[in-house]
Amino acid sequence: MLVTGIEILSKAHKEGYGVGAFNFVNFEMLRTIFEAADVAQSPLIVQASEGAIKYLGMDMVLSMVYTMSKRHSHIPVALHLDHGTSFESCKRAVDAGFTSVMIDASHHPFKENLELTKEVVDYAHSKGVSVEAELGRLMGIEDNVSVDEKDAVLVNPNEAEEFVKVSQVDYLAPAIGTSHGAFKFKGEPKLDFDRLVEVKKRTNIPLVLHGASSIPESVRQTFLSTGGDLKGGKGVPFDFIEQSIKGGINKINIDTDLRLAFIGQVRKMANDHPSEFDLRKYFTPGMEAVKAVIVERMHVLGSAGKI
């Protein structure tokens, strides 16, 4: 059942749990995400970036998601544009049938970010579509980063309060120390939970954690043992994610873990069976590995059994 993002996240906000937002770039990944949600009986957000839309085509993205949402009609699912870079990009997604969009103007000064976000919110809300925005810049917190340097890149709670009040955005991604990809932290993982709690208090809306892949040990080992190189990359530990949810996070973006799990199994198949060329025999182990990652994550987030 396709619904808006705020329908899913307002319940998570009220009851204090997190909902996974999983990126997809092909049918195998999308099908697996839905099947995992079915196993966990969890609400779901599926995300397509501008790159994924360019790769698949807007019509294919919509048709695949609508087909899978009908196949799993008991699962509340939102289709979200991840990191829309302009008003035009968000408008295209809204007009095409996305039920949630993100405008990412976090690289702009506060005033420009606010103005662009409000423009997107006004248009999307007129069409019944939810909107996410971001404040601060995603980059891992290191041991030697000063307080002043943290304040320069992490979300400012005072600005967050004003931003939400003026823009009327539905959910906000506050930068608290994560970063995208597998290479989040050079030292021990650190997130600014105090800052998160203050932002939640000031805004009282669903909050979003970007760059939330954890790189589970089993995924790491398969990826490395089949020839992959993570260059010492570290994900966000599960206990950090759980603490983030307690601090007010309700939408958790996950992409890298799915890619690593899928590619690790495809490589394993290629290494173990070099004469095999049946694509189904390559993709099926990858899909099963991704499903296991997602089901486990839904239990960690607290969304399992929330349908």
Side-chain angles (χ1 to χ4, degrees):
M1 174 175 59
L2 205 61
V3 300
T4 64
I6 196 60
E7 288 181 63
I8 292 174
L9 293 178
S10 61
K11 185 173 186 290
H13 168 65
K14 181 179 179 180
E15 298 181 14
Y17 61 88
V19 177
F22 303 95
N23 288 70
F24 68 97
V25 295
N26 59 20
F27 176 71
E28 286 77 17
M29 194 67 76
L30 182 66
R31 174 183 166 184
T32 303
I33 294 168
F34 270 90
E35 289 179 351
D38 199 10
V39 171
Q41 289 294 287
S42 170
L44 178 64
I45 299 172
V46 291
Q47 303 193 147
S49 65
E50 291 177 351
I53 293 170
K54 182 178 180 181
Y55 176 72
L56 288 167
M58 183 70 84
D59 58 341
M60 187 61 69
V61 169
L62 267 294
S63 62
M64 290 196 308
V65 171
Y66 275 68
T67 296
M68 293 305 298
S69 67
K70 289 179 181 178
R71 183 180 294 182
H72 299 273
S73 59
H74 64 294
I75 298 175
V77 57
L79 172 57
H80 180 75
L81 172 66
D82 190 26
H83 288 281
T85 57
S86 66
F87 173 81
E88 291 73 22
S89 176
C90 292
K91 183 179 183 297
R92 281 194 296 271
V94 169
D95 293 344
F98 279 62
T99 62
S100 177
V101 296
M102 179 196 180
I103 176 63
D104 184 1
S106 58
H107 53 289
H108 291 304
F110 177 81
K111 183 179 178 181
E112 292 178 36
N113 187 354
L114 177 56
E115 290 174 351
L116 180 52
T117 297
K118 191 175 189 313
E119 183 182 12
V120 172
V121 168
D122 288 346
Y123 184 79
H125 282 185
S126 74
K127 304 293 184 179
V129 173
S130 308
V131 180
E132 173 186 337
E134 183 173 346
L135 276 178
R137 289 184 286 146
L138 262 65
M139 55 185 296
I141 303 175
E142 299 175 28
D143 290 333
N144 61 349
V145 173
S146 69
V147 173
D148 288 344
E149 288 174 310
K150 285 184 183 180
D151 286 340
V153 298
L154 301 186
V155 65
N156 181 312
N158 293 327
E159 289 185 344
E161 182 177 8
E162 179 186 355
F163 190 92
V164 169
K165 182 178 180 180
V166 175
S167 71
Q168 293 296 296
V169 72
D170 296 290
Y171 22 98
L172 180 71
I176 60 169
T178 57
S179 61
H180 292 119
F183 317 110
K184 304 180 188 301
F185 310 103
K186 292 183 179 179
E188 289 300 310
K190 291 181 180 295
L191 295 180
D192 197 330
F193 294 113
D194 291 339
R195 191 179 298 256
L196 169 62
V197 170
E198 186 64 20
V199 170
K200 187 73 168 186
K201 178 182 176 182
R202 299 285 192 94
T203 62
N204 194 32
I205 64 171
L207 298 181
V208 183
L209 186 65
H210 284 210
S213 286
S214 297
I215 316 181
E217 189 58 28
S218 60
V219 171
R220 177 193 299 274
Q221 290 304 321
T222 300
F223 188 81
L224 294 177
S225 67
T226 56
D229 183 5
L230 287 174
K231 304 183 188 300
K234 298 178 181 180
V236 181
F238 283 174
D239 60 334
F240 276 43
I241 291 177
E242 291 170 337
Q243 190 171 346
S244 296
I245 293 169
K246 290 178 181 178
I249 292 292
N250 303 112
K251 175 177 179 279
I252 297 88
N253 288 15
I254 301 164
D255 185 10
T256 300
D257 282 348
L258 312 188
R259 299 185 190 196
L260 294 177
F262 192 91
I263 293 298
Q265 291 298 326
V266 169
R267 281 187 175 140
K268 186 175 187 303
M269 181 67 188
N271 292 343
D272 294 347
H273 304 278
S275 63
E276 184 58 68
F277 53 86
D278 185 338
L279 290 180
R280 293 166 296 184
K281 293 183 179 179
Y282 279 86
F283 290 163
T284 299
M287 293 166 69
E288 289 301 317
V290 170
K291 185 188 297 185
V293 166
I294 296 174
V295 170
E296 179 185 40
R297 200 62 46 86
M298 287 173 168
H299 283 277
V300 170
L301 302 181
S303 66
K306 295 295 186 180
I307 292 179

